[in-house]
Amino acid sequence: MALREVIITPVSGKADRKAFLDLAYRLNASDPCWVPPLRMEAEELITPGKNPFFDHADVQLFLARRGGAVVGRISAHIDHLAIGMDASQGMGPGTGNWGLLEAEDEAVAKALIGHAEDWLRQKGMTRVLAPLSMSIWEEPGQLVKGFDQAPTVMMGHQPERYRHYIEALGYQTAKTLNTYELDILNEFPPLIQRIIQSGEKNAKIRIRNVDKSKFDEEAALILDILNDAWSDNWGFVPFSDAEIKYAGKKFKPIVREDLIMVAEYEGEPVAFMMTLPDLNEVLKPMGGKLFPFNWAKLLLWLRKPKVRTMRVPLMGVRKRLQSSRMASQLAFMMIEYIRRNAIREYGATRGEIGWILEDNQGMNAIAEAINSTVNKSYVIYDKPL
C-alpha cells in the first residue's frame, strides 16, 4: 500500500522542472485534439526571469509521485496585481489560484488540488479561482465543451475528466468563457452589411492596418485601448510594463499588418481588433520540438502563413463609446475588413472569436449578429478556502 500513496513535493531543481514539463506531453499524447506546445515556450512559462508574471506573483510548482513515478503536477500562485483589484471584478483581496493541472487519475488530482489549496491558505488566501495557467491572460479555465476540436493558438485543452475531478471537490462555476466559430467564406447578413457601408460613408471614421515598422508604438497604443476597454470586466488584471514588452516579443513573429485593425474616430484611435493566424495548425504535428527539422518548417510558415482558421483573441473599444451604436459599427467594420484579408491573403475559411465572457452582452450580440456560434466553453471555478 505504501507504494500506492501519492506523495506531493515542491518542484526543486532542473530534474523536477523537466519532469513537470514532460508529464503533460506523456499524459496527453493519446488525445488527437491536444496540441503539444513548443517545449521552449512551455519551459519559459514556468521560469522566473523569463516569464514576467513572476515579477508580481508568488508561484509554487508541485509534483505528485506514486511509487517513485511522476503521476501529476500543479501550480499554485498568488498574483499581487490581481489581489489588488476590486473584489466585484472577480479577483480581489484574498484570492489565490492554481493551474497547469495534469493527473493520471482522480486520487492524484484530489491530492494535488488539496495541496495547492493548503499552500494558498498558508499564504493567507481565503478563496481560490481556478484553473488559471497561470495568468488570466494566458490559458484560463477548464474546457467543458468542444473536446472534439483542437484548440486554436493561445487556447487551452484539458481532458473532460478533469472537470469532474474539480467539481467533486466542491468547486462552483464562477464564470464561463465562450469562443465562437464562423464560416468566414459566407458574407455577413444584409443588416450588418448596411451598418458597415454606413460607416464607410462617415468621414469621421477611419479603419487602418497596424504599422509593423512602428511595432512598439502600435503595441503600446493597442494595450492602452485594451486596458481602458477591459478595465471594468470581470477578471481584468492590468498588464505590467514588462508584460507589455514580453507580449510584443511573443506576438511579433505571427503579427500581420492586415490582420490587426485600429479604428479611429475624428483622428483619435478608439478601438482595435487583433487577429492571429492559427499557429497551432503548424505546431500540432511537431510534438513540441523544433529540432532537427521543424524549425525550418516553422520559419517557412511564418514568412507566409496559410491556415484554415483565424483567431480573434482580443478586441476593445474605449469605455466612453461602449454603450453607443458606434462601438458595434466599428467592430463590424474591423471584422469585415479582416475577414476579406484572411480569405484573400491567407486562404482561411474559418474564424474563431474569443474568449468572451458569457455575460458580456455587447460582445455576445456582435458575435451572434455575424452568424457565429459557440464552439467551445471554459469554466473558471470558485471555492472558499
Side-chain angles (χ1 to χ4, degrees), residues 21-62:
L21 294 171
D22 287 347
L23 187 67
Y25 295 88
R26 176 168 69 82
L27 292 187
N28 293 291
S30 62
D31 184 342
C33 292
W34 188 67
V35 178
L38 287 177
R39 179 84 183 199
M40 58 186 290
E41 292 210 344
E43 185 174 3
E44 194 171 274
L45 177 69
I46 63 168
T47 304
K50 292 186 177 180
N51 181 355
F53 177 73
F54 285 82
D55 296 345
H56 55 83
D58 297 330
V59 179
Q60 181 61 63
L61 308 178
F62 295 99

Side-chain angles (χ1 to χ4, degrees), residues 157-208:
H157 183 87
Q158 305 87 17
E160 186 171 12
R161 59 192 175 91
Y162 289 3
R163 172 189 187 178
H164 304 303
Y165 299 166
I166 295 167
E167 292 176 357
L169 292 173
Y171 282 80
Q172 302 292 320
T173 298
K175 285 291 177 180
T176 300
L177 320 175
N178 295 321
T179 64
Y180 286 80
E181 67 174 346
L182 68 157
D183 180 349
I184 64 172
L185 296 179
N186 293 330
E187 291 193 349
F188 296 144
L191 173 60
I192 305 305
Q193 293 291 353
R194 289 196 294 272
I195 292 172
I196 293 167
Q197 290 161 10
S198 171
E200 290 172 335
K201 295 174 184 175
N202 187 339
K204 295 180 180 181
I205 294 175
R206 178 189 177 217
I207 308 294
R208 66 170 178 85

Side-chain angles (χ1 to χ4, degrees), residues 197-269:
Q197 290 161 10
S198 171
E200 290 172 335
K201 295 174 184 175
N202 187 339
K204 295 180 180 181
I205 294 175
R206 178 189 177 217
I207 308 294
R208 66 170 178 85
N209 297 356
V210 295
D211 184 347
K212 202 170 179 179
S213 70
K214 302 177 180 177
F215 185 84
D216 291 343
E217 183 181 328
E218 294 281 55
L221 170 63
I222 286 171
L223 285 162
D224 180 62
I225 298 173
L226 176 70
N227 279 335
D228 178 62
W230 285 48
S231 60
D232 292 335
N233 282 11
W234 186 93
F236 175 78
V237 179
F239 278 93
S240 68
D241 289 343
E243 284 173 317
I244 290 172
K245 292 178 182 177
Y246 179 71
K249 181 181 177 182
K250 193 172 182 179
F251 282 134
K252 195 169 185 178
I254 56 173
V255 162
R256 292 296 179 273
E257 291 182 328
D258 55 356
L259 294 177
I260 302 179
M261 299 285 173
V262 173
E264 297 177 353
Y265 184 70
E266 295 184 325
E268 178 194 356

Side-chain angles (χ1 to χ4, degrees), residues 6-11 60-65 73-77 97-98 101 107-123 128 169 171 383 385:
V6 178
I7 306 297
I8 311 293
T9 57
V11 166
Q60 181 61 63
L61 308 178
F62 295 99
L63 285 173
R65 291 180 172 87
R73 73 176 203 185
I74 200 167
S75 63
H77 29 97
N97 315 107
W98 57 255
L101 175 68
V108 173
K110 181 178 179 181
L112 283 165
I113 293 171
H115 212 82
E117 291 173 349
D118 287 344
W119 184 86
L120 292 170
R121 225 178 262 114
Q122 290 166 13
K123 295 283 187 177
V128 58
L169 292 173
Y171 282 80
K383 183 182 178 180
L385 291 175

Side-chain angles (χ1 to χ4, degrees), residues 66-86:
R66 184 189 278 138
V70 175
V71 292
R73 73 176 203 185
I74 200 167
S75 63
H77 29 97
I78 300 166
D79 183 345
H80 293 285
L81 292 180
I83 64 176
M85 301 300 293
D86 192 291

